[in-house]
């Protein structure tokens, strides 16, 4: 389906955070594997993402298809707060981010570093008493801090320690784009007719029915003992969680939903590792090339295979 003039703002929306495990690099491969009837008609009646993360797939679909309703879930309260605030108050958030951007860019590097650590400290200390349930002006400030930290920290990561604290150090970028006003407006527009919920992926099952398109992008299973980056939230996602997810996949298949799941391919490191072949026996398992973006060793950043699993 071609993007019309009326859809140009939707087509321009992209993740408002740089997110470890983001799917921007894999979008064309995912798009080619959508159900044939959706590609043909250009309409998605109901779309659900139980692990929305940065939302690259959601924005990709919103820019190319008519998505009548969408449900986005994540277990990370900071991320859910970000989506809900952009949905409710994009202009207020833009104003606050512009203030932070102007202040930051006016400083020399040492003062920038001091500002970064001051905001990081405030952001972390606020978490224990913050009201994530009732919307208030404080939401705008907290989300502005989160975006600011994401845009100015080392490697542009969102990572939390076991206590839920943002723990990425300062990044030395000369002229970072912090506000991104046009994209925040586009994201807010894309989030119309969208329900955003905090919770485990299981929670999404209540809204899945025959014909629902479900894209599952869980924290990836580490492909080696040195690549265990799953800390998008303070709680990890281990092999038992992967098994829970496979059980959910089969249950949603019984509802006749259209299911697409991506994950790491263990065979990149160990050709005999058939963990996912066993979990998803009977379903279609494809391999697609993607770039390894998150690795502290630049020599190990390159192309690897990822799995795309579908039930159709």
């Amino acid at each position: 389906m071609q993007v019309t003039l009326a859809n140009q703002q939707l087509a321009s929306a992209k993740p408002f955070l740089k997110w470890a495990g983001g799917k921007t690099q894999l979008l064309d491969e995912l798009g080619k594997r959508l159900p044939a009837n959706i590609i043909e008609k250009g309409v998605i009646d109901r779309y659900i993402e139980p692990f929305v993360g940065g939302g690259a797939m959601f924005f990709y679909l919103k820019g190319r298809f008519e998505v009548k309703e969408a449900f986005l879930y994540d277990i990370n309260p900071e991320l859910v707060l970000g989506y809900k605030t952009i949905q409710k108050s994009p202009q207020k958030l833009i104003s606050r981010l512009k203030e932070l951007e102007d202040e930051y860019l006016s400083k020399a590097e040492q003062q920038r570093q001091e500002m970064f650590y001051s905001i990081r400290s405030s952001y972390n200390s606020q978490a224990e008493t913050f009201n994530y349930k009732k919307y208030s002006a404080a939401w705008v400030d907290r989300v502005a801090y989160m975006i600011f930290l994401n845009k100015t920290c080392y490697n542009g990561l969102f990572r939390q320690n076991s206590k839920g604290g943002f723990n990425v150090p300062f990044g030395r970028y000369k002229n970072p784009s912090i506000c991104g006003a046009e994209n925040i407006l586009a994201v807010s527009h894309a989030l119309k007719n969208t329900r955003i919920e905090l919770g485990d992926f299981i929670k999404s099952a209540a809204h899945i029915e025959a014909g629902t398109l479900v894209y599952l992008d869980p924290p990836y299973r580490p492909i080696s003992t040195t690549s265990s980056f799953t800390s998008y939230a303070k709680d990890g996602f281990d092999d038992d969680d992967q098994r829970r997810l496979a059980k959910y996949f089969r249950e949603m298949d019984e509802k006749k939903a259209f299911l697409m799941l991506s994950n790491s391919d263990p065979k990149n490191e160990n050709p005999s590792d058939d963990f996912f072949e066993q979990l998803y026996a009977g379903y279609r398992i494809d391999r697609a090339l993607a770039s390894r973006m998150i690795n502290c060793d630049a020599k190990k950043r390159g192309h690897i295979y990822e799995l795309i699993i579908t039930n159709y």
Side-chain angles (χ1 to χ4, degrees):
M1 179 183 179
Q2 294 296 316
V3 178
T4 65
L5 185 62
N7 287 334
Q8 282 184 353
Q9 191 176 26
L10 283 174
S12 69
K14 59 183 185 294
F16 61 92
L17 293 174
K18 183 179 178 183
W19 197 252
K23 285 294 150 309
T24 300
Q25 54 176 312
L26 202 61
L27 290 175
D28 288 342
E29 294 293 337
L30 296 171
K32 289 189 295 188
R33 292 169 173 82
L34 290 168
N37 68 318
I38 288 177
I39 294 174
E40 181 180 345
K41 294 179 181 178
V43 177
I44 300 171
D45 291 322
R46 178 175 290 184
Y47 176 69
I48 293 181
E49 262 198 72
F51 306 87
V52 66
M57 183 61 164
F58 169 72
F59 297 123
Y60 173 89
L61 294 174
K62 289 286 283 195
R64 290 161 177 78
F65 300 90
E66 178 188 353
V67 182
K68 293 184 177 180
E69 63 175 346
F71 297 77
L72 306 179
Y73 295 82
D74 205 276
I75 201 169
N76 189 313
E78 307 298 346
L79 192 60
V80 170
L81 195 78
Y83 279 104
K84 287 187 173 182
T85 300
I86 291 176
Q87 188 183 51
K88 284 176 173 287
S89 303
Q91 293 289 357
K92 291 179 180 178
L93 179 61
I94 288 168
S95 295
R96 187 69 183 99
L97 281 168
K98 191 70 173 76
E99 291 173 1
L100 291 171
E101 181 177 84
D102 288 346
E103 180 183 356
Y104 185 80
L105 294 179
S106 70
K107 295 178 181 296
E109 183 174 307
Q110 181 60 36
Q111 285 70 43
R112 288 184 178 188
Q113 185 168 340
E114 291 170 1
M115 180 180 174
F116 173 87
Y117 284 112
S118 175
I119 288 177
R120 194 181 79 167
S121 177
S122 297
Y123 180 79
N124 286 338
S125 63
Q126 183 189 57
E128 289 186 11
T129 59
F130 193 81
N131 189 337
Y132 292 89
K133 295 182 179 179
K134 185 177 180 181
Y135 178 78
S136 69
W139 283 29
V140 173
D141 278 340
R142 185 156 184 82
V143 173
Y145 279 176
M146 176 176 68
I147 293 174
F148 169 84
L149 291 170
N150 183 250
K151 301 294 186 181
T152 58
C153 72
Y154 178 75
N155 230 8
L157 293 178
F158 184 93
R159 184 184 66 202
Q160 294 172 292
N161 59 27
S162 60
K163 296 180 179 179
F166 183 87
N167 65 353
V168 186
F170 175 68
R172 291 177 167 79
Y173 302 110
K174 289 185 178 180
N175 192 31
S177 175
I178 295 168
C179 181
E182 288 186 7
N183 188 56
I184 286 175
L185 291 174
V187 168
S188 184
H189 187 51
L191 289 171
K192 290 181 178 179
N193 303 319
T194 300
R195 184 166 163 178
I196 306 155
E197 297 285 346
L198 174 68
D200 185 79
F201 64 88
I202 295 293
K203 190 175 179 181
S204 65
H207 299 289
I208 295 175
E209 57 190 29
T212 301
L213 176 63
V214 184
Y215 172 56
L216 298 150
D217 180 31
Y220 275 18
R221 183 174 186 251
I223 60 174
S224 71
T225 57
T226 59
S227 62
S228 56
F229 188 91
T230 55
S231 300
Y232 313 114
K234 61 182 178 180
D235 302 311
F237 201 86
D238 60 18
D239 280 359
D240 285 339
D241 291 307
Q242 298 287 358
R243 294 183 184 97
R244 279 200 308 127
L245 180 57
K247 181 175 182 290
Y248 162 100
F249 190 99
R250 293 185 182 278
E251 290 170 351
M252 297 309 104
D253 179 40
E254 291 176 1
K255 289 188 174 187
K256 301 189 184 304
F258 293 115
L259 305 170
M260 176 185 286
L261 180 146
S262 56
N263 215 311
S264 58
D265 183 3
K267 294 186 185 300
N268 284 297
E269 294 282 337
N270 181 3
S272 65
D273 189 334
D274 60 354
F275 180 80
F276 288 113
E277 279 82 0
Q278 290 189 30
L279 279 188
Y280 294 96
Y283 296 113
R284 177 174 177 173
I285 301 177
D286 291 343
R287 286 175 166 80
L289 276 175
S291 297
R292 186 203 301 264
M293 300 301 292
I294 303 299
N295 196 305
C296 59
D297 184 349
K299 294 179 181 178
K300 293 183 179 179
R301 295 176 188 171
H303 288 89
I304 61 171
Y305 284 102
E306 295 189 4
L307 300 179
I308 301 176
I309 301 169
T310 54
N311 70 331
Y312 49 84

